[in-house]
């Protein structure tokens, strides 16, 4: 999915380029998003190919030194109760300033795409992010449970 490039003081947002996937890995690893480089490469590359009914993409937040300091993975889809929604499936930030810029960018894109709701997935290990989002008027909408298939009894 192509989004307009947006510049805010000290930061630029743009679509992550395929050749930057490896450069973004240390940030994804430090935040617990990707345990290994091959896992990260597989995940990130999948975002460059169409799948499902919605639009999707990964945006990079780049500082004035051209260092990737944040990433957001976005999916625009349809919800029976809310209509068009923007789902932030991953918000990867190196600090709170980057997180603030990522949230603002997600809200800008949601308005641009005429979404009625923005959802942000927050991992159990990212409790600071949940608190951060609640202070920005996000509310708890649902609980999501997960079970690894490897945990199934034989």
């Amino acid at each position: 999915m192509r989004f307009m490039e947006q510049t805010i003081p000290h930061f630029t947002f743009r679509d992550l380029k395929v050749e930057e996937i490896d450069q973004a890995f240390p940030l994804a690893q430090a935040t617990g998003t990707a345990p290994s480089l091959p896992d990260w490469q597989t995940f990130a590359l999948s975002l460059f190919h169409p799948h499902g009914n919605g639009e999707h993409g990964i945006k990079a937040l780049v500082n004035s030194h051209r260092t990737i300091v944040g990433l957001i993975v976005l999916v625009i889809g349809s919800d029976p109760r809310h209509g068009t929604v923007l789902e932030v499936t991953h918000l990867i930030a190196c600090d709170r300033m980057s997180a603030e810029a990522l949230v603002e960018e997600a809200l800008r894109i949601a308005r641009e795409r005429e979404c009625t709701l923005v959802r942000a997935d927050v991992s159990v290990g990212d409790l600071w992010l949940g608190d951060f989002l609640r202070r920005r008027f996000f509310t708890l909408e649902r609980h999501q449970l997960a079970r690894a298939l490897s945990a199934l009894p034989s």
Side-chain angles (χ1 to χ4, degrees):
M1 154 174 32
R2 294 312 250 177
F3 299 106
M4 290 186 344
E5 188 170 293
Q6 179 75 7
T7 301
I8 56 176
H10 311 293
F11 296 113
T12 301
F13 279 99
R14 57 177 169 66
D15 293 326
L16 185 71
K17 300 172 186 163
V18 171
E19 60 270 16
E20 295 174 317
I21 290 173
D22 289 0
Q23 178 189 346
F25 172 67
L27 181 61
Q29 185 181 40
T31 59
T33 302
S36 71
L37 180 58
D39 291 334
W40 170 247
Q41 290 167 329
T42 300
F43 171 73
L45 282 170
S46 76
L47 297 170
F48 288 87
H49 304 289
H51 58 78
N53 294 328
E55 297 178 73
H56 61 277
I58 185 166
K59 291 202 58 131
L61 176 64
V62 181
N63 68 13
S64 58
H65 302 290
R66 297 185 182 162
T67 302
I68 296 172
V69 295
L71 299 164
I72 46 175
V73 177
L74 306 168
V75 178
I76 296 176
S78 182
D79 181 278
R81 289 188 310 156
H82 300 289
T84 304
V85 296
L86 176 92
E87 303 246 6
V88 179
T89 63
H90 293 81
L91 190 151
I92 305 168
C94 69
D95 57 30
R96 292 192 186 274
M97 185 186 302
S98 300
E100 183 71 47
L102 291 166
V103 169
E104 288 304 314
E105 180 68 356
L107 294 173
R108 186 192 69 75
I109 291 169
R111 286 185 202 98
E112 176 184 288
R113 298 299 177 106
E114 299 181 357
C115 297
T116 58
L117 183 76
V118 176
R119 280 193 187 112
D121 289 346
V122 178
S123 298
V124 172
D126 287 334
L127 294 179
W128 74 270
L129 183 57
D131 292 338
F132 179 84
L133 291 171
R134 277 191 284 284
R135 287 192 299 275
R136 280 141 190 88
F137 307 105
F138 282 73
T139 59
L140 184 63
E141 181 190 46
R142 61 186 180 190
H143 289 279
Q144 192 171 22
L145 303 174
R147 179 177 174 175
L149 294 179
S150 61
L152 295 174
S154 338

